[in-house]
Amino acid sequence: MRAVGQNDKNRAVLAVAALSAAVAVVSGCAGPGSGAEVRPAAGQQAHQGAAPDSRAALVAAARRWGLDAVPLRPPAPPKLKPRITARDGFEVDGQVEDDLPPVFTTIPTRKKVVFLTIDDGAEKDPDFLRMMSELRIPYSAFLSNYLVKDDYGYFRRMQAEGHTLNNHTLTHPYLPGLTYDEQKHEICGMQEIMKKQFGKAPTVFRPPYGNYNGDTLRAAKACGIKYAPIWDEEVFVDHWEYREWDRGLHPGDIVLTHFRGRNDWDGTMVDDMRRFLNKVTRDGYAVARLEDYL
């Protein structure tokens, strides 16, 4: 029998190491420190070994949630924030003189980004939270207390993911039909609740239905509000609606949807987000965080 020399020993060690590496790749185990686990959708096997922001994790998440393609990643937030003014025709008397919060539908930018905003808070779908977390999609929630007070914890989880919670009044009334004091109560009252429940009062407010008057913006300013965005497009689970004649997306557009589920729609919030993400991605847009531009 031939004696085993040093070269043979070295080759044996290398072969064992190569086999171990191959097993690690096949099993998906990359060892300690390889990245955080991405939580799977209900009934799905956990995806191992890829950091949440890695391309592999995003590809896997897009596949899990039934998207046509991986959503595009937004550019870094602008170092110099754009100047936000009221949209032409959306001003009120005293808009400039009284330095009232501007009402606008689009952020001034040449970047191909849109901003997702979600109103009210009626539906509290855990799959929606999981989907948006896995896909790393930012959004801003505009909350009405009468719809969120039964589960503030749901929105705290949302806030912990880095999403901003904004003011949408206490009871979602038609504000122009109220007196100044009544409007102030609706807006300032929600400010107080948000500070108590979520740690701070926001500076961004959306009037219910997109309806407002001069008293609305004066009351909002008195309550600490600086911006009053509404929207340029609205997405539903089965269709889109557009403010502009060309029925298309534009750089900086603010998109509205709602916290709704099968009780109101023929589908879920996951279905709604799938429609939203498929279109914006197909049209070459990324979803950016609204507050990064304010």
Side-chain angles (χ1 to χ4, degrees), residues 133-259:
S133 176
E134 291 182 6
L135 292 168
R136 316 305 291 174
I137 303 298
Y139 57 91
S140 303
F142 289 81
L143 306 181
S144 292
N145 190 55
Y146 84 109
L147 291 173
V148 304
K149 64 184 180 181
D150 62 330
D151 191 358
Y152 290 125
Y154 178 84
F155 300 96
R156 292 192 193 103
R157 292 193 294 276
M158 187 180 295
Q159 185 182 42
E161 293 278 351
H163 307 291
T164 306
L165 308 182
N166 293 316
N167 188 325
H168 200 44
T169 72
L170 291 171
T171 65
H172 204 275
Y174 174 72
L175 289 173
L178 304 181
T179 66
Y180 170 82
D181 287 339
E182 289 169 336
Q183 293 196 53
K184 187 177 179 182
H185 170 72
E186 282 284 340
I187 301 168
C188 286
M190 191 60 188
Q191 291 288 84
E192 293 171 4
I193 285 174
M194 296 194 77
K195 185 174 182 179
K196 178 180 178 181
Q197 295 296 333
F198 307 117
K200 65 177 182 178
T203 60
V204 183
F205 156 74
R206 172 173 286 160
Y209 315 108
N211 295 130
Y212 61 95
N213 59 17
D215 281 347
T216 308
L217 301 184
R218 288 182 176 85
K221 180 180 178 180
C223 298
I225 297 298
K226 295 182 179 179
Y227 302 99
I230 49 175
W231 60 91
D232 213 50
E233 295 88 22
E234 183 171 1
V235 60
F236 297 83
V237 73
D238 57 354
H239 71 285
W240 283 70
E241 293 183 359
Y242 302 88
R243 189 180 297 274
E244 312 301 339
W245 65 270
D246 62 357
R247 298 179 60 80
L249 296 173
H250 318 91
D253 276 359
I254 298 169
V255 180
L256 164 67
T257 193
H258 288 79
F259 289 98

Side-chain angles (χ1 to χ4, degrees), residues 29-44:
C29 298
S34 61
E37 177 181 289
V38 178
R39 292 178 59 191
Q44 299 288 337

